[in-house]
Amino acid sequence: MTTAQGQEQAQDQQGRQHRGEPGSAAEILARAEALAPVLRERAGEIERNRTLPPDVVELLRGTGVFRMTSGREWGGPELTSMDQTRVVEALAYGDASAAWCAVIGANTGLIANFLDGATVKEVYPRQDMVTAGVLAPAGHAERVPGGFRLSGRWSFGSGVAHSDWVNSGAFVFEDGKPYASPDGSNPHESRQFLVPRSAVETVDNWDTTGLCGTGSCDYTITDVFVPENHTFTFYEPRGRISPLSAPESFMRALCGVPLGVARAALDHARGIATSRVDRMTGTAWSDSFRVQVALAECEADYNAAREGVYAAMTRQWEVLAAGGDLTPDERAAPPLSWLHAFRTSRAVVGRLYDLLQAWSINRSSPMDRWLRDTATMCQNLTAQDVVLESVGAYLLGGTPKFRISLGITT
């Protein structure tokens, strides 16, 4: 870092402190934990709204979650993947939709790792700006002088409605024909394209089983010019190399959402079990074999899944931070642990829903929402069999279909 950059960073830190922005993992986590009861109280409203209310977005911004991945060279806290996940867990303990949008919005600092420094300053004058969008290359980007003309329709744009920038994947064309990478590595190149929210039209089609408040609607972009420097690929980090400049860094903290929901459901069920008495037998639930075994097994499953996430994530961070190469098993462990966290959390919530029986089925019960939220989030690509297929192929020396989940860049 140059002297000028150091002075600029110090000035940014002073300004941040003046604005009361949290500057450490402990501060951000504490604010997230303090916000959780508010999110729980407003969960029904968030769900009915089908997107986050503007003041809830600002409450999230106040925790520092949107800036938690911002690099130290920008004066950011640069939380480890482990600390990011703890923050997301804390928010999900209050409301899954808010936490889902929080982890999506926090992609801003990660995207900065793939843009040149001048562009970062241009598009992100503040570290707590929200970037949302869809990484899958669903759009058409025609090469033109100085950049691209981008058009397309993308599905499941969580948080786009309240974002500042929308990042979208698209295939590249030139003169209407598929554009091949100059080095011959890709017969049809795809890139990520960063456009302002004002250039995006949302489609009001998000009416779903769970995660209703995420506003994960379709959106369209029509013939929008995107300068070359507002595009990037996950395989070309342009800033300082760090554990957060790996291509799958965008996916790591998302598993904090199901883990936070499962923890909330476990605490809710345990709270009920300590005071409830079986009407037919007069036996306290705390003395019921059925209740004891169900709760203990759910705790065991939850603890194992959560420890698997943090063990894999910690080892990955240690190796990458030291500039080392991950072994095949170390590379495979994180995506497997994410998938296991999603599926185990869904199973835990489902069993607790059955344990509480008729007390779970009313819309006023958080169990109803947690059941629907975990069922919905398990439809995300991170929890699908393609992850197992890709990891299995990789470990056997085959060709993974979902390469980004493994952080494979070649």
Side-chain angles (χ1 to χ4, degrees), residues 234-274:
F234 292 116
Y235 308 126
E236 297 176 320
R238 298 178 185 175
R240 174 175 55 86
I241 300 300
S242 78
L244 295 182
S245 59
E248 37 59 71
S249 59
F250 294 82
M251 305 168 64
R252 296 175 193 165
L254 194 61
C255 64
V257 182
L259 289 173
V261 171
R263 182 70 265 167
L266 278 162
D267 290 351
H268 175 75
R270 286 172 63 176
I272 289 176
T274 58

Side-chain angles (χ1 to χ4, degrees), residues 361-378:
I361 65 176
N362 290 324
R363 290 282 179 169
S364 59
S365 167
M367 288 303 308
D368 171 76
R369 182 168 54 255
W370 291 328
L371 184 76
R372 292 182 288 103
D373 283 345
T374 53
T376 299
M377 68 181 71
C378 278

Side-chain angles (χ1 to χ4, degrees), residues 195-272:
V195 303
R197 168 65 180 87
S198 58
V200 176
E201 294 290 334
T202 58
V203 180
D204 186 13
N205 65 345
W206 184 244
D207 186 12
T208 185
T209 302
L211 292 180
C212 302
T214 60
S216 304
C217 60
D218 288 11
Y219 64 91
T220 62
I221 297 173
T222 305
D223 197 31
V224 172
F225 175 72
V226 184
E228 179 83 36
N229 66 339
H230 286 199
T231 77
F232 65 94
T233 77
F234 292 116
Y235 308 126
E236 297 176 320
R238 298 178 185 175
R240 174 175 55 86
I241 300 300
S242 78
L244 295 182
S245 59
E248 37 59 71
S249 59
F250 294 82
M251 305 168 64
R252 296 175 193 165
L254 194 61
C255 64
V257 182
L259 289 173
V261 171
R263 182 70 265 167
L266 278 162
D267 290 351
H268 175 75
R270 286 172 63 176
I272 289 176

Side-chain angles (χ1 to χ4, degrees), residues 24-33 63-66 68 79-93 99 102 253 256-257 310:
S24 70
E27 289 179 274
I28 295 173
L29 178 58
R31 292 192 183 194
E33 290 173 341
T63 67
V65 67
F66 294 141
M68 69 179 178
L79 268 59
T80 66
S81 299
M82 298 76 77
D83 284 331
Q84 292 174 37
T85 306
R86 293 184 187 100
V87 170
V88 175
E89 283 186 282
L91 295 171
Y93 193 86
V257 182
Y310 283 97

Side-chain angles (χ1 to χ4, degrees), residues 38-39 41 67 76 113 129 185 196 199 201-202 251 285 340 364 404:
V38 177
L39 296 176
E41 181 68 25
R67 63 188 301 275
N113 292 318
M129 297 178 72
S185 61
E201 294 290 334
T202 58
M251 305 168 64
W285 272 35
H340 190 57
S364 59
I404 193 171

Side-chain angles (χ1 to χ4, degrees), residues 50-100:
R50 295 192 298 125
T51 189
L52 297 188
D55 69 311
V56 171
V57 176
E58 294 311 309
L59 289 172
L60 289 171
R61 200 187 309 273
T63 67
V65 67
F66 294 141
R67 63 188 301 275
M68 69 179 178
T69 65
S70 182
R72 294 190 186 92
E73 65 269 35
W74 305 109
E78 195 175 328
L79 268 59
T80 66
S81 299
M82 298 76 77
D83 284 331
Q84 292 174 37
T85 306
R86 293 184 187 100
V87 170
V88 175
E89 283 186 282
L91 295 171
Y93 193 86
D95 181 67
S97 290
W100 193 272

Side-chain angles (χ1 to χ4, degrees), residues 169-193:
F171 284 106
V172 178
F173 294 80
E174 188 171 47
D175 298 327
K177 299 177 181 179
Y179 177 81
S181 300
D183 61 4
S185 61
N186 193 335
H188 195 181
E189 183 178 283
S190 65
R191 301 186 67 82
Q192 301 294 313
F193 296 83

